[in-house]
């Protein structure tokens, strides 16, 4: 159950951070697992990020948002959130378009 909540929190965090739903950015669904010990949880997530992005800054921001949301929804303290970036996805921008 905590893993499902963490995956949902990751989707929400990606949308908040990048101002668009992950599917609209071409990002795959976040995958999550969680270990609960007592009243705390450790969360592991694998997700895509849009390119270009400052990976370290985005990861830190996403971890904070996910931790807060999981804690709010479960009441568990999140001791650790490990993020794995599966891939960087080229998103629309000023220079992106079709080659003719």
């Amino acid at each position: 159950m905590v893993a499902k909540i963490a995956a949902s929190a990751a989707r929400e965090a990606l949308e908040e951070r990048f101002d668009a739903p992950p599917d609209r950015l071409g990002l795959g669904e976040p995958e999550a697992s969680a270990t609960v010990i007592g009243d705390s949880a450790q969360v592991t997530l694998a997700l895509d990020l849009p390119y270009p992005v400052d990976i370290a800054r985005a990861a830190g921001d996403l971890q904070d948002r996910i931790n807060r949301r999981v804690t709010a929804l479960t009441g568990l303290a999140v001791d650790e959130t490990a993020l794995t970036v599966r891939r960087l996805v080229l998103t629309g921008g000023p220079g992106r378009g079709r080659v003719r």
Side-chain angles (χ1 to χ4, degrees):
M1 186 61 143
V2 175
K4 273 187 154 178
I5 291 169
S8 178
R11 279 189 299 280
E12 291 173 12
L14 286 164
E15 183 169 355
E16 290 171 6
R17 175 71 165 79
F18 299 107
D19 297 323
D23 58 336
R24 190 181 308 133
L25 296 171
L27 308 179
E29 284 293 312
E31 297 173 354
S33 63
T35 302
V36 177
I37 300 171
D39 60 351
S40 64
Q42 294 177 336
V43 175
T44 302
L45 286 155
L47 45 80
D48 301 340
L49 292 178
Y51 179 85
V53 66
D54 178 334
I55 295 171
R57 182 174 291 159
D61 182 46
L62 291 169
Q63 285 173 317
D64 289 342
R65 291 172 192 248
I66 293 163
N67 289 352
R68 286 194 308 268
R69 189 71 174 139
V70 171
T71 296
L73 292 173
T74 66
L76 298 170
V78 180
D79 294 335
E80 179 182 347
T81 300
L83 291 182
T84 299
V85 177
R86 291 183 300 219
R87 65 187 180 123
L88 297 174
V89 177
L90 185 61
T91 59
R96 184 158 186 226
R98 292 185 63 182
V99 176
R100 296 179 196 240

